[in-house]
Amino acid sequence: MQTPLENSLTAVRLDGRVAVVTGAARGIGRACVAALRARGARIVASDRNASVRELEGGDIATLVGDVSLEATAAATLALAIQRFGRVDILVNNAGRTLNKPLLETSAEEWDAVMAVNARGSFLHAREAVRAMLAGGGGAIVNIASIASTVALKETSAYAASKGAVAQLTKVIAVEYGALGIRANAVAPGVVETDILEGIVPDSRATLASFGAAHPLGRVGQAHEIAEVVAFLASPASSFITGAIVAADGGYTAL
């Protein structure tokens, strides 16, 4: 007979499960691929950056495409079924940011952010739900942000898009919970990644400078967010759905 600890350790395993991770080429997405694979999942990793192909091999299949396109969402989920036979987990991680005051944000910039963050998450969730219903259930983990729950200056487009992701998560949870599909979102604080590359001279240093704003005194690392994602994707979180889980170093506790 397994002990409670052994049961707990088994519950975080993902052996036999198939996951789709968007925005997997770097940062949080790449860390999610590593965390899920370490727990035994087989994975389809997608990104618009062709460097995602570096992950290809064995139990990881890759796809290059724009998450805001219906064709990409359909192709990504189809690849998972073709290659691995099912879909159990979706991690909607692909995203883009924009740091501009409201009056300096163009309609085109607004649309571009919403297309990736909100539309992309919607399209992939819709296709994943279809596949999960056919397979008897699954878990969706969306990457939201502290900007989906608190107001930050110069983030109107980004905050609106992540607010949409948070609400999409709750609606999926309510609509499909009785059919075996759970949906949760992770709301990271500032995480040291390359998301500001091309916007500021040194993305990681700029993000790390916000450490003092977090009660822990530092910003997060991609692997720390991936651990929360892996938990929410696993049977260990079987009674959690419709939640927006803060992984923010205490930022929203202030």
Side-chain angles (χ1 to χ4, degrees):
M1 178 181 295
Q2 287 187 315
T3 67
L5 176 58
E6 288 171 332
N7 283 329
S8 296
L9 292 174
T10 299
V12 300
R13 294 292 303 174
L14 296 171
D15 300 290
R17 287 175 168 78
V18 177
V20 170
V21 180
T22 70
R26 60 185 184 178
I28 292 173
R30 193 158 185 145
C32 286
V33 171
L36 297 176
R37 185 69 197 95
R39 288 162 173 79
R42 294 169 291 171
I43 299 167
V44 170
S46 76
D47 203 289
R48 67 177 183 175
N49 191 321
S51 65
V52 74
R53 292 188 178 126
E54 296 170 1
L55 299 171
E56 180 80 36
D59 286 335
I60 301 178
T62 61
L63 183 142
V64 177
D66 181 346
V67 294
S68 70
L69 301 178
E70 285 188 276
T72 299
T76 302
L77 274 296
L79 176 60
I81 294 170
Q82 175 189 2
R83 180 79 172 262
F84 303 121
R86 57 187 296 115
V87 177
D88 303 288
I89 298 163
L90 168 66
V91 180
N92 263 324
N93 167 73
R96 62 182 297 172
T97 189
L98 181 71
N99 296 92
K100 281 190 175 183
L102 177 69
L103 294 181
E104 295 177 16
T105 301
S106 70
E108 291 77 17
E109 288 171 327
W110 173 279
D111 290 344
V113 172
M114 294 295 288
V116 173
N117 297 358
R119 178 183 166 92
S121 294
F122 153 69
L123 290 173
H124 284 72
R126 188 182 66 183
E127 297 304 314
V129 166
R130 286 176 177 154
M132 290 173 181
L133 288 175
I140 295 174
V141 185
N142 295 322
I143 304 300
S145 167
I146 54 173
S148 66
T149 59
V150 298
L152 305 172
K153 291 182 179 180
E154 300 184 353
T155 64
S156 57
Y158 179 74
S161 71
K162 290 299 187 177
V165 169
Q167 286 303 103
L168 173 66
T169 302
K170 293 181 180 181
V171 172
I172 293 170
V174 171
E175 286 187 351
Y176 296 101
L179 296 174
I181 297 174
R182 296 184 300 110
N184 294 289
V186 180
V190 179
V191 179
E192 187 180 338
T193 69
D194 297 325
I195 194 170
L196 297 179
E197 190 174 282
I199 300 174
V200 297
D202 188 334
S203 175
R204 291 180 175 276
T206 298
L207 292 167
S209 70
F210 289 95
H214 300 66
L216 287 185
R218 64 175 178 85
V219 300
Q221 298 298 315
H223 70 87
E224 294 177 303
I225 307 306
E227 288 296 319
V228 182
V229 170
F231 167 72
L232 292 174
S234 77
S237 63
S238 57
F239 199 57
I240 302 176
T241 194
I244 311 301
V245 180
D248 64 2
Y251 185 95
T252 54
L254 295 171

